[in-house]
Amino acid sequence: MSEVLFTNMAQLVTPGAGLQRGAAMRELTVIPDAALLVSGGVIRWVGERAQAPSAAREHDLGGAAVVPGLVDPHTHAVWAGDRLADFEARVQGVPYEDILARGGGIRSSMRATGAVSVEELVRLARPRLQALQASGATTIEVKSGYGLDFAAERRMLEAIRILQAEFPLVPTLLIHVPPTEGRAEYVQAVCEDLIPEVAQAGLAAAVDVFCEKEAFTVEETRAILQAARAYGLQLKLHADQFHAIGGTELACGLGALSVDHLEASGPAQIAALAGSETVATILPGVTLHLGLPAAPGRALIDAGAAVAVGTDLNPGSSPVFSTGLALALAVRLCRLTPAEALTAATVNAAAALGLPDRGALAVGQRADFLALHSRDWRDLPYTLGTSPVRDVWVGGVCA
Ligand code: NIG
Ligand code: FE
């Protein structure tokens, strides 16, 4: 087993391993002049250089600040077509929901995505995933959800499976918007056909639903999530993006891994999340791109919830190709402190995917870490418009 001691870090900065909630999100460990021993892709020792064990090989990180690799817990990185006309209409005042209600928006991405092959989906998604990884993401969740029919949904999941050979991806089956006719039959077929097939083929780790006025009702969402659970899949939810219709309370009650968006969450939804094990995932790229209210990140943490942050990379509501930028936006738009944002983008984002083995620089964790251009980790949440990340290490190997 090859063993490497990484040395010459101006500082190594990490949250504690595992889910961190409330005030614990601000508790980082900062080790000056640190070293990190890695073998078999796993961290074996971490501490001050002066105390480091000897190793077969050393790698000098050139005085960089080192932080855990980021986990992007929410992306829609596989799509075809574009939403450039929607963008022009929206900036001139047409609301996102109106575009969707007229058959555009997500439905236009479904028409374009449904029309291309698996190979084309792979070709289109690859540079997006490269951009996320270069920005610091060492694990990336990718959703389906632009399939017009079940065959198209499976093509999206097959594209994600192919890309797993190149990137550390976590696939999610997203039940995104209902057909305009026959929605009861559609929900039944999702529960009785699509979910069992996807589970048996091992094509997804979780099922997500868009629970919203223009998408699925709470009762439809409940049926889909219960079917997911019956087939051994984890639960996630898009909820409270525009209206708090009860999805958050439902998902917390069902023990979902995460509820994502939360821009319209109020005191009841914040209390439900704070009183549950469900991670509250905020997506500030959507706030920036749609010009809508931000999720109440500050209030969620103050209430004791566990907050994660992701890009929500997608063509319609968040063309954010940088996980590092999502972290930086959480500070500006959702009022997280820099320390809370690092925790949100690492261990809590890993918890939102059910992955307790990553997100912290601690013994036994995967050796996923970032060497920054800076000697001070705070350049990560501070920097906008250029990447503060110099190199990205996944399982102890430079990506
Ligand atoms: O997370 N809100 C629903 N789904 C995506 C948007 C997808 C799209 O606009 O294409 C989201 O924002
Ligand atoms: Fe999303």
Side-chain angles (χ1 to χ4, degrees):
M1 195 153 50
S2 77
E3 190 182 56
V4 182
L5 183 69
F6 291 90
T7 59
N8 196 11
M9 309 173 193
Q11 55 179 194
L12 178 151
V13 180
T14 184
L19 180 89
Q20 304 293 328
R21 55 193 324 136
M25 287 183 65
R26 294 191 281 281
E27 288 167 20
L28 301 183
T29 299
V30 180
I31 305 174
D33 192 14
L36 191 66
L37 182 70
V38 174
S39 74
V42 172
I43 297 172
R44 307 292 174 182
W45 184 92
V46 54
E48 283 181 30
R49 170 79 184 103
Q51 268 87 55
S54 59
R57 207 157 65 77
E58 284 197 18
H59 185 98
D60 183 329
L61 286 171
V66 169
V67 297
L70 308 182
V71 175
D72 198 330
H74 185 137
T75 84
H76 307 250
V78 176
W79 76 80
D82 67 61
R83 300 271 283 282
L84 301 173
D86 287 2
F87 175 52
E88 278 195 311
R90 272 202 318 91
V91 295
Q92 290 170 83
V94 186
Y96 176 91
E97 282 181 288
D98 288 10
I99 294 171
L100 178 58
R102 290 177 206 163
I106 296 171
R107 293 187 194 281
S108 75
S109 292
M110 292 174 104
R111 289 189 288 274
T113 304
V116 304
S117 65
V118 173
E119 293 70 29
E120 179 67 357
L121 293 175
V122 167
R123 192 187 68 76
L124 291 165
R126 184 178 286 117
R128 300 170 190 151
L129 296 169
Q130 280 165 343
L132 293 176
Q133 189 171 68
S135 82
T138 50
T139 297
I140 303 168
E141 186 256 19
V142 187
K143 300 176 195 298
S144 68
Y146 293 124
L148 259 189
D149 51 33
F150 293 170
E153 277 299 299
R154 279 192 294 270
R155 283 198 295 280
M156 291 189 72
L157 292 170
E158 281 163 22
I160 299 168
R161 174 173 277 179
I162 290 168
L163 286 159
Q164 280 179 311
E166 299 170 52
F167 304 96
L169 305 181
V170 178
T172 298
L173 170 66
L174 170 62
I175 308 304
H176 209 167
V177 288
T180 43
E181 283 169 20
R183 58 191 288 161
E185 295 75 12
Y186 179 81
V187 170
Q188 191 178 356
V190 164
C191 297
E192 293 176 5
D193 302 329
L194 183 61
I195 288 175
E197 277 173 34
V198 165
Q200 264 151 30
L203 280 169
V207 173
D208 189 348
V209 182
F210 184 21
C211 183
E212 184 56 58
K213 272 190 182 170
E214 282 302 326
F216 291 95
T217 65
V218 173
E219 283 318 307
E220 290 166 338
T221 302
R222 185 195 308 276
I224 296 167
L225 293 183
Q226 281 173 340
R229 180 195 268 166
Y231 285 93
L233 297 170
Q234 301 272 22
L235 316 181
K236 299 179 79 68
L237 197 64
H238 281 66
D240 304 353
Q241 182 177 7
F242 300 104
H243 307 94
I245 63 171
T248 294
E249 294 89 329
L250 170 74
C252 291
L254 290 175
L257 282 178
S258 73
V259 179
D260 305 32
H261 275 291
L262 307 172
E263 292 89 339
S265 295
Q269 293 72 40
I270 292 170
L273 285 157
S276 75
E277 291 298 305
T278 299
V279 176
T281 299
I282 58 174
L283 307 164
V286 178
T287 298
L288 181 70
H289 187 63
L290 297 188
L292 294 174
R298 178 77 269 129
L300 281 159
I301 294 173
D302 290 346
V307 171
V309 61
T311 56
D312 197 13
L313 170 62
N314 76 75
S317 72
S318 185
V320 170
F321 294 79
S322 165
T323 309
L325 178 62
L327 183 165
L329 290 176
V331 175
R332 274 69 170 199
L333 301 178
C334 306
R335 298 181 47 223
L336 271 59
T337 68
E340 289 166 346
L342 184 66
T343 301
T346 54
V347 282
N348 281 6
L353 299 178
L355 300 172
D357 66 335
R358 64 197 75 182
L361 299 176
V363 172
Q365 292 267 293
R366 269 176 39 138
D368 295 348
F369 59 93
L370 312 177
L372 306 183
H373 288 292
S374 174
R375 298 176 65 80
D376 188 323
W377 79 275
R378 292 172 299 180
D379 271 304
L380 180 64
Y382 171 79
T383 304
L384 301 173
T386 186
S387 180
V389 176
R390 192 192 72 196
D391 36 64
V392 176
W393 296 79
V394 182
V397 176
C398 197

